[in-house]
Amino acid sequence: MSGEPQTAASDSSSGAEQNPYGGASAPGGPKRVRTRHFQNAKRDGIKITGLTSYDQLTARIFDEAGIDFLLVGDSAGNNVFGHETTLPVTVDELIPLARAVAGAVTRAFVIADMPFGSYENGPEDALHTAVRFMKETGAHAVKLEGGERSYKQIRRIVQAGIPVMAHIGYTPQSEHGLGGHVIQGRGEGVQQLLADAKAVQDAGAFAVVLEMVPADAARQVTELLDIPTISVGAGPHTDGQLLVWTDWAGLTIGRVPKFVKQYANLAGILSDAAKEWRADVEAGSYPNSEHSYE
């Protein structure tokens, strides 16, 4: 989205736009990504980029790199808190993470994930959770899982003026009900996927995540909808792509999903650095005079 033409972002500057950390957005890129930029990107065929983030350090780096949106995901359950699933994560645990991310960025659109149990009871509970995220974190939108079953929740939140990113296909909070990490939208399942997609659009979602669905099914959804589609393992025919940053950067230990391309090996880099530091300390070569005060 950083290559968006001037007409797609009315708050754009002319020429390269500098951010506080020394980076530069592409000429004509938006100073702050808004929901309208998602819509403009779909209209103009510009791919949208998203990564998860759970802290101010990665948020600043990704913001400077021009990533369009950062999701403070309940995937923190796996990547921050050490749980096997996202189910144990609470609103109170995600709020400080979302506050850290939102406070660190100047351009990226920050979305807070609504964890399991925080919206299933109905529209008013969903609105209460969404309001907490907006008031206590500085996030710009919320995300929740479910298609037709979450229609009323999405509609109520949107009516209150809060942007909602929907999430259909494989929904991790329903992992046990779905029978594990099972690809959704195959065969006759594509009809339910299309119905879910239409439901979240009708409810007012500004975009929808499609997770672990066949590429052709994702293409059908993308062609059906007026709102942007964001792929998490849904192939190339969507309007954008989202990955969990620890998977993408090679920090995840253990199973990495098939759809993830690893762009770095941070686990290896950190391990090598830790071993080198330990060896220096044990050998007495750190700290030396260069790293000592006189």
Side-chain angles (χ1 to χ4, degrees):
M1 200 190 298
S2 58
E4 203 168 310
Q6 184 73 25
T7 55
S10 60
D11 60 348
S12 302
S13 61
S14 59
E17 163 195 324
Q18 297 296 322
N19 70 32
Y21 310 109
S25 299
K31 294 179 181 179
R32 168 72 78 180
V33 176
R34 310 278 187 180
T35 53
R36 69 178 182 275
H37 297 122
F38 284 78
Q39 195 62 51
N40 291 346
K42 183 179 180 76
R43 178 195 68 198
D44 297 335
I46 298 170
K47 294 292 187 179
I48 301 163
T49 56
L51 288 171
T52 63
S53 179
Y54 317 105
D55 61 87
Q56 60 92 13
L57 294 173
T58 56
R60 288 184 180 183
I61 292 169
F62 300 157
D63 188 47
E64 181 181 350
I67 302 303
D68 295 313
F69 74 94
L70 300 180
L71 172 66
V72 186
D74 62 358
S75 51
N78 312 87
N79 298 299
V80 176
F81 302 119
H83 302 309
E84 290 187 3
T85 72
T86 65
L87 296 177
V89 178
T90 67
V91 173
D92 287 337
E93 288 174 327
L94 285 184
I95 280 178
L97 306 187
R99 185 185 300 124
V101 171
V105 305
T106 62
R107 176 185 177 275
F109 192 80
V110 177
I111 303 168
D113 223 348
M114 293 173 60
F116 177 70
S118 69
Y119 59 93
E120 285 84 354
N121 283 339
E124 295 309 315
D125 275 1
L127 178 60
H128 175 75
T129 301
V131 167
R132 282 200 65 191
F133 274 118
M134 301 300 284
K135 288 179 69 69
E136 298 180 39
T137 73
H140 310 121
V142 297
K143 182 179 77 65
L144 57 87
E145 295 181 3
E148 290 182 318
R149 66 180 172 86
S150 295
Y151 173 90
K152 291 181 180 179
Q153 287 92 326
I154 294 171
R155 185 168 179 80
R156 182 69 184 95
I157 296 169
V158 172
Q159 286 174 337
I162 300 172
V164 174
M165 175 177 278
H167 184 157
I168 62 174
Y170 175 73
T171 47
Q173 293 173 12
S174 304
E175 173 180 339
H176 298 307
L178 294 173
H181 292 78
V182 179
I183 296 172
Q184 303 297 303
R186 280 179 167 163
E188 295 181 359
V190 72
Q191 295 306 317
Q192 183 60 57
L193 185 71
L194 292 169
D196 285 336
K198 190 67 167 56
V200 300
Q201 175 172 274
D202 291 347
F206 74 90
V208 57
V209 169
L210 307 176
E211 182 165 355
M212 285 178 58
V213 303
D216 186 64
R219 177 189 58 77
Q220 292 182 57
V221 172
T222 302
E223 292 174 353
L224 172 71
L225 297 185
D226 297 321
I227 62 174
T229 55
I230 308 296
S231 167
V232 178
H237 307 304
T238 55
D239 300 304
Q241 297 288 330
L242 167 66
L243 284 177
V244 172
W245 90 263
T246 49
D247 291 341
W248 159 90
L251 197 59
T252 300
I253 298 174
R255 187 187 71 87
V256 176
K258 174 185 177 180
F259 57 82
V260 173
K261 177 179 178 179
Q262 292 190 312
Y263 286 80
N265 180 19
L266 292 192
I269 292 171
L270 289 174
S271 178
D272 289 345
K275 292 173 182 176
E276 182 178 353
W277 181 75
R278 185 198 70 201
D280 284 355
V281 171
E282 291 174 349
S285 60
Y286 176 86
N288 56 23
S289 59
E290 180 184 355
H291 303 106
S292 301
Y293 295 107
E294 295 183 359

